[in-house]
């Protein structure tokens, strides 16, 4: 599976962005999908994940109530809707695909290239 993330950019605090991650290759619908983020000098951080069917989602406490992860298996795409953005949400965001249930980065098998989100105060 190859993953291509897009949708990052510069936004003011309180604004919104929607990230997309398009997958190529077969069997996208068999992978759990996740979003992670990383800032310089910090470890990669779990943001959100969605089950293979899209029926179950999980979030980091820091984004709960503000971010929404979803997937469209017909379009081989996973999304991250980010609302009420804060300066501390500034990071490079990565999408990833896992063969098993996990919210730990090392448990994911495939990674996209990352898209930069910058939130100005």
């Amino acid at each position: 599976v190859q993953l291509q993330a897009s949708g990052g950019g510069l936004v003011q605090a309180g604004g919104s962005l929607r990230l997309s991650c398009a997958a190529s290759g077969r069997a996208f619908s068999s992978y759990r999908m996740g979003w992670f983020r990383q800032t310089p000098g910090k470890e990669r951080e779990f943001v959100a994940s969605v089950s293979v069917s899209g029926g179950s989602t999980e979030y980091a406490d820091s984004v709960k109530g503000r971010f929404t992860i979803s997937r469209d298996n017909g379009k081989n795409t996973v999304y991250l809707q980010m609302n009420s953005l804060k300066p501390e949400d500034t990071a490079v965001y990565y999408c990833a695909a896992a063969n098993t249930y996990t919210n730990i980065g090392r448990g994911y098998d495939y990674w996209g290239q990352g898209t930069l989100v910058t939130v100005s105060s």
Side-chain angles (χ1 to χ4, degrees):
V1 175
Q2 292 185 321
L3 304 174
Q4 180 76 34
S6 62
L10 174 64
V11 64
Q12 288 188 331
S16 299
L17 279 176
R18 188 176 83 154
L19 306 184
S20 299
C21 176
S24 61
R26 297 184 292 179
F28 169 78
S29 60
S30 68
Y31 290 98
R32 182 177 189 85
M33 298 300 297
W35 286 96
F36 292 79
R37 65 188 182 187
Q38 189 169 24
T39 55
K42 292 188 176 181
E43 292 188 358
R44 183 173 51 198
E45 175 188 24
F46 167 76
V47 175
S49 65
V50 60
S51 62
V52 295
S53 69
S56 176
T57 57
E58 297 185 27
Y59 297 92
D61 288 343
S62 59
V63 307
K64 204 170 292 184
R66 300 188 297 121
F67 290 12
T68 302
I69 188 171
S70 62
R71 68 189 296 162
D72 185 336
N73 287 339
K75 295 183 178 180
N76 282 9
T77 303
V78 62
Y79 305 97
L80 186 68
Q81 177 67 44
M82 304 186 295
N83 299 328
S84 302
L85 282 161
K86 305 175 181 180
E88 51 264 43
D89 294 319
T90 295
V92 176
Y93 283 72
Y94 299 90
C95 59
N99 280 303
T100 63
Y101 170 82
T102 179
N103 291 329
I104 299 174
R106 63 177 180 269
Y108 281 74
D109 303 284
Y110 303 98
W111 291 84
Q113 86 289 0
T115 184
L116 177 62
V117 172
T118 303
V119 184
S120 64
S121 58

